[in-house]
Amino acid sequence: MKIIGLSSLIILVLFYSHSAALNLETAKQLALANNPAFKAEEHASESARWDAFKAYIGLAPSGQLSYNYSQNSGDYMSVFGGGSGGFGAIPFNIGDKTISYGINLSQPLFNGGKVLLGARIKSDASAIAQNSLYSARLRTINEAESKYLTVLEAIDLLAIARKSMDNSRQEAENGRLLFELGTLSKADYLQLQSQALTREVEAINAQNYVLISKLDLANFLQIDTDFELQPITLDDHQKKLEALAGLYPEEREDLINSLINIGLENNPNLQITRKNHEIMRKALWIARGNFLPSINLNYNRSWTKYPDQSDDYNDMETYSISASFPFFPLLDNLATSGVAINDFKESSYVLKNTEDAIVLAIKTSVLNWLTAGNEMKATKLAMEYSRESYLQMEERFYSGLISANEMLSVEIMYNSSQISYTRSFYNFLRAESALQGLLGIENESLLEFLTLSE
């Protein structure tokens, strides 16, 4: 993550140092570098990692060092010490002193699996935090891409609106000349003027949509609105679209199954559910371990020098094994075990339900992706047809063969087909981005590889 953060910072600096257009990859890196929710997930993941490390440290033996020094003062002895010593005063002979120090080690041998399983639960919790972080990363990337595509779509729709406005203005001007020559009725002339005003309003609305979408993207990326976007062209995805259009039914089914397998392996939300299931399994074993004895190994060694004793110390060393068997309250342990059993069964059904939901979501997303690709093909043909029809009707209108209403009807159809084609292209890109999020992958080339290899 530190490497990713550094690369994001470099990209951010380069972006502000040059006037080049902002591309999609840079927008994603800016989102990851600046998004507060994602940064919070990074710290939560790091905290869970340290918590798991602390739990495994608990498997090591615990130890204490102790030191005691006592010296009498007057009729009473002052006691000074550290470790297991304390402070107080007891009667003792004047001039005497006692010195002792020692070491105590304790190693759990068996505690019903609580310590080891507890550490493994913490490790699973750390894995959940890592998957939660990756899920947040995918969401951030998907949202950045969606907002980026929305701006590009708004810009393309604005271009269509402006071109339509210019055509309508030219038609109104031509209509004025025809009206003055007496070859066009006043009703048709007024209709052409009305159409020109309508197109101007549509262009203003399209301009506002561009500004709003740019503000939304800039706010998400935490940058100024003074930027230009690098466009995404159809040529960038032409091979993929052709491959999708050429799939046979059995090849389409194989593609869906391949993507489902990828999703079942990589989807972070599914990984979180699986880890929660494993935690419930370990909690069940801990609950069963409450009925088992606890065994600990202890080692003690001390050195003590008493009053009026030579410089030698009395050395004492002991080894002991302590065992305790839970006797009461058995009903409490039994209830805890019952809760753990039902929690584990519940997590099993939750896992099954999550897997089914992920499979269904991937199937739906793949079908939406394929449908969006086919829709692009259909809307492109419709746009080309309506364009030819519009050109023919425009020529016939100026020849006085049709009314303004007939010509404008075809123009509206042509304008609508351009909008439909533009939206179908960006819907295809959004569908692909959503599919990648479900699959738990960032690399678009993987989708391209799967598509082109079918």
Side-chain angles (χ1 to χ4, degrees):
M1 284 304 168
K2 290 181 179 179
I3 295 175
I4 294 175
L6 180 59
S7 62
S8 301
L9 180 61
I10 293 173
I11 291 173
L12 183 64
V13 172
L14 291 176
F15 170 66
Y16 282 109
S17 300
H18 300 278
S19 58
L22 174 65
N23 60 35
L24 179 56
E25 187 59 33
T26 303
K28 293 177 182 179
Q29 295 302 325
L30 285 169
L32 292 174
N34 298 330
N35 186 265
F38 179 69
K39 306 304 288 186
E41 286 287 350
E42 283 185 326
H43 290 289
S45 176
E46 188 69 11
S47 177
R49 189 178 69 85
W50 279 105
D51 199 27
F53 177 71
K54 183 179 72 173
Y56 277 102
I57 291 177
L59 297 174
S62 59
Q64 284 185 324
L65 291 174
S66 62
Y67 171 77
N68 289 279
Y69 173 81
S70 62
Q71 174 70 55
N72 63 339
S73 176
D75 293 334
Y76 295 91
M77 178 186 71
S78 297
V79 181
F80 305 91
S84 60
F87 180 81
I90 59 173
F92 205 78
N93 293 326
I94 297 175
D96 291 331
K97 64 180 179 180
T98 302
I99 300 174
S100 66
Y101 55 92
I103 183 172
N104 176 271
L105 298 175
S106 178
Q107 172 65 59
L109 297 180
F110 182 76
N111 286 303
K114 297 183 184 67
V115 178
L116 179 59
L117 290 173
R120 294 183 64 184
I121 286 176
K122 291 292 185 180
S123 180
D124 288 339
S126 177
I128 288 175
Q130 289 289 332
N131 280 290
S132 180
L133 173 62
Y134 188 54
S135 178
R137 178 181 176 84
L138 292 175
R139 285 196 307 271
T140 303
I141 290 174
N142 180 263
E143 192 167 355
E145 185 169 3
S146 177
K147 293 179 184 299
Y148 186 97
L149 293 175
T150 298
V151 176
L152 289 182
E153 181 181 28
I155 292 172
D156 287 351
L157 292 176
L158 175 60
I160 294 172
R162 284 177 172 172
K163 183 178 180 180
S164 179
M165 179 185 67
D166 292 340
N167 289 338
S168 294
R169 285 176 174 175
Q170 185 62 47
E171 288 167 358
E173 178 61 21
N174 293 337
R176 183 185 65 81
L177 296 175
L178 294 175
F179 174 71
E180 292 176 351
L181 293 173
T183 58
L184 184 68
S185 68
K186 186 175 182 180
D188 285 345
Y189 173 50
L190 291 176
Q191 189 173 12
L192 290 174
Q193 286 185 316
S194 175
Q195 181 71 3
L197 291 174
T198 299
R199 293 299 185 226
E200 288 181 10
V201 173
E202 290 176 352
I204 292 173
N205 290 334
Q207 176 66 45
N208 291 336
Y209 184 50
V210 170
L211 295 176
I212 292 171
S213 58
K214 285 189 71 174
L215 283 171
D216 188 34
L217 176 61
N219 181 67
F220 187 76
L221 301 182
Q222 297 292 293
I223 61 176
D224 294 333
T225 56
D226 186 19
F227 62 83
E228 299 294 331
L229 296 186
Q230 180 177 318
I232 298 175
T233 64
L234 179 62
D235 294 339
D236 300 330
H237 301 270
Q238 188 63 46
K239 289 184 179 180
K240 186 172 12 183
L241 287 165
E242 291 175 355
L244 289 175
L247 289 177
Y248 291 104
E250 59 273 13
E251 292 176 329
R252 178 177 294 198
E253 190 65 27
D254 289 341
L255 174 62
I256 292 175
N257 291 332
S258 297
L259 295 177
I260 286 175
N261 291 332
I262 293 174
L264 291 176
E265 182 179 352
N266 297 303
N267 183 278
N269 294 324
L270 181 56
Q271 296 300 322
I272 289 173
T273 306
R274 286 171 176 165
K275 285 298 179 182
N276 278 324
H277 180 60
E278 289 301 314
I279 288 176
M280 291 299 103
R281 186 195 303 276
K282 295 177 178 68
L284 175 59
W285 282 108
I286 290 176
R288 290 172 174 172
N290 290 332
F291 297 97
L292 301 175
S294 297
I295 303 174
N296 296 283
L297 173 65
N298 298 293
Y299 170 76
N300 292 276
R301 188 168 185 177
S302 62
W303 295 265
T304 305
K305 181 180 179 182
Y306 294 102
D308 299 330
Q309 189 178 353
S310 63
D311 292 337
D312 294 333
Y313 286 82
N314 291 340
D315 185 359
M316 180 179 295
E317 185 177 39
T318 61
Y319 296 91
S320 65
I321 294 180
S322 60
S324 62
F325 189 84
F327 188 63
F328 287 111
L330 289 178
L331 290 180
D332 182 62
N333 290 336
L334 183 62
T336 301
S337 179
V339 170
I341 289 172
N342 284 282
D343 286 345
F344 174 69
K345 290 182 178 180
E346 178 189 2
S347 69
S348 299
Y349 289 113
V350 169
L351 176 58
K352 179 65 169 60
N353 182 66
T354 303
E355 288 178 344
D356 292 342
I358 292 296
V359 169
L360 178 60
I362 292 175
K363 285 183 178 179
T364 303
S365 186
V366 174
L367 291 175
N368 288 337
W369 184 46
L370 296 173
T371 301
N374 291 330
E375 184 181 356
M376 274 193 62
K377 183 178 180 181
T379 55
K380 184 178 180 181
L381 290 174
M383 182 181 66
E384 292 173 350
Y385 167 76
S386 61
R387 180 177 181 275
E388 292 298 323
S389 298
Y390 168 67
L391 293 175
Q392 291 177 10
M393 297 298 281
E394 186 181 38
E395 183 178 350
R396 295 180 66 185
F397 169 73
Y398 290 127
S399 300
L401 300 177
I402 61 172
S403 66
N405 183 60
E406 291 175 303
M407 190 268 292
L408 291 177
S409 296
V410 178
E411 181 193 1
I412 291 173
M413 182 180 67
Y414 175 47
N415 188 63
S416 178
S417 67
Q418 293 180 83
I419 294 174
S420 297
Y421 173 70
T422 299
R423 286 179 173 166
S424 67
F425 175 60
Y426 288 104
N427 286 339
F428 172 77
L429 298 180
R430 291 189 188 96
E432 184 175 75
S433 178
L435 176 57
Q436 287 181 222
L438 279 173
L439 298 180
I441 60 175
E442 298 180 42
N443 190 3
E444 184 181 351
S445 63
L446 176 59
L447 285 178
E448 293 178 351
F449 169 78
L450 286 172
T451 304
L452 298 176
S453 64
E454 292 293 332

